[in-house]
Amino acid sequence: MVKELFVQGNEACAYGAIKAGCKFFGGYPITPSTEVAEKLAELLPKHGGSFIQMEDEIAAIGAIIGASWSGLKTMTSTSGPGFSLMQENIGYAHITETPTVIVNVQRGGPSTGQPTMASQGDMMQIRWGSHGDYEPISLAPSSVQECFDFTVEAFNLSEQYRVPVILATDEIIGHMREKITIPDSVDVIPRTMPKESPDEFSTNNPYLPFKAEENGAPPMAAFGQGYKIPVTGLTHDERGYPDSADFEAHTKLITRLNNKILNNREKIVSVHERFCDDADTIIISYGAPVRSVHRAVVQAREEGLKVGSIKVDTPWPFPEAQILKAAEVAKNLIVVEMNLGQMVYEVERVAGMVGENRPNVHLIPKIGGELHKPEVILSKIKEIS
Amino acid sequence: MRTEIRIAGFGGQGVILAGIIVGKAASLFDGLNAVQTQSYGPEARGGASKTEVVVSDDEINYPKLTSPDILVAMSHEALMAYMGDLKDGGILIIDSDVIDEEDIKDFVKEHNINVYHARVNKTAEHDIGLKIVANIVMVGAITKLTKVISYDAAKDAVLDSVPPGTEKKNMQAFEAGYAMDGT
């Protein structure tokens, strides 16, 4: 039965996780993300799952990586300080190709900063926070319904590409209440298992747990099913055996890990355009600021200004082709984000590809925890029009 | 049409729940859109506490208030803290037992504010016999005096929001609030 609820964004993430088939949550409470854990502590036992509060965030991500290898869909939730602690193991999840979902309800930083206030200050930490070369997938909801929808999508993407997926939400979206519609069933992508049973393999025909299929990701057997699965953070071959001093082995593995995202970028990215067809000025935003941008764009249009909006659902991988298309036609691009400028670097990079006729890229930053006021965006539009 | 509502009081009065009920009534039972937000700072415990609800028959983009159409004050401190940006000609609902109207006389006149009285604390304590349902009395008064949400939707939302076993008392509280005429 379709269910309608009036709930917080954080709670909607928990409902989304259940619907996507999440069976294990390991976490450590932190404002402003705690309601995700709280709700899942209530829901998971009722849906055949387990909830465990770990001693800290390092243990939390360790738990969800381990539980994922036991064959379950897993998740944690945190905020800036906890997300920083998780960075080492996020890299481990990338190199071991462990599907899992991390909800990061962003608050003001650095450090403990502003626990109860919103921010988008972790966007580059999501991109580059762990060491080495890797391609993260991240989704940024701008409504409570999207908290539900994008959590489901985060699980699906994590299973398809065997990566940790970061749901980049923030205190405003996490704590506000709106109506959500929970459908009877949602499209759920199950984990791809090896086609052969464990006994079909032998010394001469070994199981290759890290041999990729067409989309760049290998099928994933679980511990305890009889397959021999060495899992290591060291550079490894298709058998999973460490091979960390060989430049070819490292190049092959890391290139594949990056390409499984980059080669599928068009299948992963999602943007929503409004009024872009004839727009001189296009505003690019993601997460909570989208709400202010949409109001400003409606007001600007009422005043006859040719303004459009691109709402970026997937900050990572960055929707390069979609932003390039806008950069080729617009005179101005405005990036609106709750930080001092992070995703604007990506927009500037892409705008630079246009060459001589590149648009001007403007930034409307905001820190301190509150949403941009629509009139601030409107006055910037007028200033540059 | 977009209507912006702020409900304020002190921590523990249940103003947040009142805001959730208004938002729930509008979005789940009246077929409108609603967004409810609240203050999350340490000031929410003991000091002034507030919740804000935007109700609209259209898509709600900006989820925060720009200038409230309706202010509901359940304490004098909250009234003085949050009255300033009430819209000219806006609605102010106050519990006259806990508010010194002398302090707001000039503001009300200058901004042409429609003041309604809802003695929710006394009603809860004396008529219902349960002080903690003052917020539900206020939901009844808001429903009656502002018409932002319908009677049926408000009732359904109260029943959907209160703990099992407390429905009867809460319905009494809601009806007592709905019976108020604002004088």
Side-chain angles (χ1 to χ4, degrees), chain A residues 16-24 44 72-74 155 188:
Chain A
I18 295 292
K19 214 65 181 171
C22 176
K23 293 289 182 217
F24 181 87
L44 271 170
L72 301 180
K73 292 190 179 181
T74 70
F155 275 97
V188 170

Side-chain angles (χ1 to χ4, degrees), chain B residues 117-168:
Chain B
H117 298 103
R119 303 176 71 179
V120 298
N121 288 294
K122 276 228 169 96
T123 303
E125 199 173 349
H126 297 141
D127 300 354
I128 316 297
L130 203 59
K131 210 178 165 188
I132 57 162
V133 296
N135 60 337
I136 306 299
V137 181
M138 192 54 103
V139 170
I142 293 168
T143 308
K144 174 73 168 294
L145 301 170
T146 70
K147 302 190 167 48
V148 169
I149 48 174
S150 71
Y151 171 81
D152 289 340
K155 252 174 75 169
D156 288 345
V158 170
L159 289 173
D160 195 58
S161 307
V162 299
T166 68
E167 292 91 346
K168 204 172 154 211

